[in-house]
């Protein structure tokens, strides 16, 4: 039996009408007649029933049309994987169509190499100047207040030293170092019981409604004291659990085929468990809050790495499907990789460069 997909939107591209299934990310040419045909199939129907409803169509041609629509996910077959995924979505997703459109269409995106990105920037510079990346004082008013230079507070000094360095010295990092990074990002430091009688975990980063929507996973390549493979970090128990997966991809393949990642000893992957905030907040703004929270956690991980003389390279360029398979996540809809941080000891020349930038910046600010 067949019916029209529940995850279709229709739009115009270059003045042509196209259909788009935002679950499968498939696009197909469309027309008013095809939309009317799909509209007939809002409920399940056998092929014979479809033929009876369309007597002007040749059955063989109609069968070809049905198969073509199945191939582009305009139709779904009963009890198929697309049908089960749609059912999960319809029963549980509360954040609306615009949010699911964004959520699904950013998965597994192709990413540009550094050379490709550089070429695009050069071409754009020929078309128009790049926007300024900071605003000078006095643009909005001539009432300017000069501030004292930053103090030499240990925390501020640590924050100023943070740099993204993709060149590794090739050495392994220690289990103690990765432990501190995980604890800084997701460690549970207490709990509170709300008025509904629910015990909520408290950590070192803010969480909307204390819904704690992230779990951390480690892809270990060279960590002293830890075998290579995938591990889940339990903030609740402050422990690592090995994931028994047959997958052994390179770090680059996990990180959108960014070649620099292959030289680094490990990557922390933050996976959003969207059902946690969605259970409490049906407003789609909770999706935005969840993404913001990934930044809070990532910053703590980066500062802990800096404290240990490491660099944590953040990236949103992820191969979501491959990561989900490796981590054996239950649902790509509600359990989704969002942020990756690859850790390493910077190559000596890179570390010197980063330090000189920091010292020059402090000197300039102080003067």
């Amino acid at each position: 039996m067949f019916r029209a997909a529940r995850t279709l939107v229709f739009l115009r591209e270059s003045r042509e009408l196209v259909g788009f299934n935002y679950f499968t990310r498939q696009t197909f040419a469309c027309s008013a007649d095809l939309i009317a045909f799909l509209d007939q199939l809002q409920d399940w129907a056998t092929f014979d029933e479809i033929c009876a409803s369309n007597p002007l169509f040749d059955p063989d041609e109609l069968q070809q049309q049905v198969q073509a629509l199945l191939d582009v996910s305009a139709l779904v077959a009963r009890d198929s994987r697309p049908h089960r995924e749609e059912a999960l979505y319809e029963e549980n997703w509360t954040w609306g169509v615009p949010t699911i459109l964004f959520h699904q269409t950013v998965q597994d995106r192709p990413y540009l190499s550094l050379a490709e990105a550089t070429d695009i920037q050069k071409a754009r510079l020929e078309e128009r100047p790049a926007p300024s990346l900071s605003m000078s004082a006095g643009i909005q008013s001539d009432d300017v207040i000069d501030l004292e230079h930053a103090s030499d507070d240990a925390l501020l000094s640590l924050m100023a030293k943070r740099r993204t360095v993709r060149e590794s010295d090739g050495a392994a990092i220690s289990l103690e170092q990765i432990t501190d990074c995980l604890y800084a990002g997701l460690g549970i430091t207490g709990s509170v019981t709300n008025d509904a009688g629910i015990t909520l975990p408290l950590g070192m980063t803010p969480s909307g409604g204390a819904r704690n929507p992230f779990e951390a996973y480690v892809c270990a390549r060279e960590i002293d004291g830890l075998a290579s493979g995938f591990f889940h970090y339990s903030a609740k128990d402050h422990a690592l659990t090995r994931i028994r997966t047959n997958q052994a991809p390179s770090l680059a393949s996990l990180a959108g085929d960014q070649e620099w990642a292959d030289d680094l000893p490990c990557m922390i992957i933050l996976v959003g468990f969207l059902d946690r905030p969605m259970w409490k907040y049906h407003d789609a703004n909770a999706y935005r809050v969840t993404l913001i929270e990934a930044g809070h956690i990532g910053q703590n991980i980066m500062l802990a790495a800096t404290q240990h003389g490491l660099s944590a390279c953040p990236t949103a360029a992820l191969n979501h499907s491959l990561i989900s398979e490796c981590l054996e996540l239950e649902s790509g809809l509600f359990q989704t990789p969002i942020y990756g941080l690859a850790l390493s000891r910077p190559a000596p020349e890179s570390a010197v460069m980063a330090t000189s930038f920091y010292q020059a910046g402090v000197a300039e600010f102080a003067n």
Side-chain angles (χ1 to χ4, degrees):
M1 300 185 76
F2 313 96
R3 65 159 167 77
R6 301 287 198 235
T7 52
L8 296 177
V9 292
F10 300 93
L11 59 154
R12 290 195 177 274
E13 288 187 356
S14 302
R15 305 187 71 177
E16 298 293 328
L17 186 63
V18 297
F20 176 64
N21 186 316
Y22 50 80
F23 256 49
T24 63
R25 299 185 290 281
Q26 289 179 286
T27 302
F28 54 93
C30 197
S31 66
D33 288 340
L34 179 54
I35 293 177
F37 177 75
L38 292 172
D39 192 49
Q40 294 179 17
L41 294 172
Q42 294 303 303
D43 297 319
W44 296 108
T46 64
F47 180 69
D48 289 340
E49 289 170 336
I50 295 174
C51 288
S53 300
N54 297 271
L56 300 180
F57 282 83
D58 177 80
D60 291 337
E61 292 182 0
L62 193 57
Q63 186 172 25
Q64 293 176 8
Q65 172 80 344
V66 167
Q67 185 58 54
L69 293 173
L70 285 169
D71 292 341
V72 296
S73 304
L75 292 179
V76 296
R78 193 165 194 168
D79 297 327
S80 64
R81 179 176 177 179
H83 172 212
R84 293 191 295 272
E85 290 177 343
E86 282 187 1
L88 181 67
Y89 160 63
E90 288 186 300
E91 292 170 7
N92 298 283
W93 189 268
T94 66
W95 288 343
V97 172
T99 306
I100 191 66
L101 268 170
F102 175 80
H103 176 71
Q104 290 295 101
T105 53
V106 297
Q107 306 289 308
D108 299 323
R109 298 297 299 168
Y111 291 92
L112 299 176
S113 67
L114 180 59
E116 290 171 330
T118 300
D119 289 342
I120 289 175
Q121 291 177 79
K122 289 179 178 178
R124 287 179 181 166
L125 283 172
E126 293 178 0
E127 299 172 358
R128 60 186 185 276
S132 174
L133 300 181
S134 62
M135 291 177 61
S136 299
I139 289 180
Q140 295 171 297
S141 168
D142 58 4
D143 187 9
V144 177
I145 302 170
D146 292 324
L147 303 175
E148 296 294 327
H149 65 79
S151 70
D152 58 357
D153 176 81
L155 177 59
L156 291 178
S157 297
L158 175 66
M159 294 169 69
K161 290 177 183 178
R162 189 220 63 80
R163 290 292 181 272
T164 298
V165 181
R166 295 189 174 99
E167 294 78 27
S168 168
D169 69 356
I173 66 173
S174 71
L175 182 57
E176 177 188 2
Q177 290 170 330
I178 190 74
T179 297
D180 285 354
C181 291
L182 290 167
Y183 183 72
L186 294 104
I188 294 175
T189 58
S191 63
V192 64
T193 301
N194 67 11
D195 292 341
I198 299 173
T199 300
L200 303 172
L202 301 177
M204 288 175 276
T205 61
S207 177
R211 296 308 301 164
N212 195 34
F214 282 95
E215 294 288 328
Y217 293 81
V218 177
C219 178
R221 197 174 70 88
E222 290 188 51
I223 299 177
D224 287 338
L226 196 66
S228 61
F230 291 93
F231 298 83
H232 167 251
Y233 170 65
S234 168
K236 180 179 180 180
D237 300 312
H238 191 54
L240 290 172
T241 301
R242 185 178 181 88
I243 299 173
R244 304 294 181 181
T245 176
N246 294 324
Q247 300 273 6
S250 65
L251 288 185
S253 62
L254 298 177
D257 296 320
Q258 298 176 95
E259 294 181 357
W260 56 264
D262 270 345
D263 297 327
L264 308 189
C266 75
M267 179 181 290
I268 297 174
I269 300 171
L270 299 182
V271 174
F273 281 60
L274 303 184
D275 58 324
R276 297 178 185 177
M278 192 180 291
W279 181 86
K280 179 178 181 180
Y281 300 111
H282 288 192
D283 187 331
N285 190 52
Y287 182 86
R288 185 172 67 94
V289 171
T290 299
L291 299 184
I292 291 171
E293 187 169 335
H296 298 323
I297 296 170
Q299 184 69 13
N300 270 25
I301 291 173
M302 287 184 273
L303 291 177
T306 302
Q307 177 67 30
H308 279 291
L310 305 177
S311 176
C313 301
T315 182
L318 301 177
N319 185 329
H320 299 82
S321 296
L322 178 58
I323 292 173
S324 296
E325 290 178 15
C326 293
L327 303 183
E328 299 181 344
L329 302 180
E330 294 179 5
S331 164
L333 181 62
F334 291 99
Q335 299 177 9
T336 180
I338 288 179
Y339 202 17
L341 299 106
L343 276 63
S344 73
R345 280 186 9 189
E349 59 273 16
S350 300
V352 169
M353 181 180 68
T355 301
S356 64
F357 279 146
Y358 159 69
Q359 292 172 337
V362 169
E364 181 181 357
F365 195 78
N367 294 330

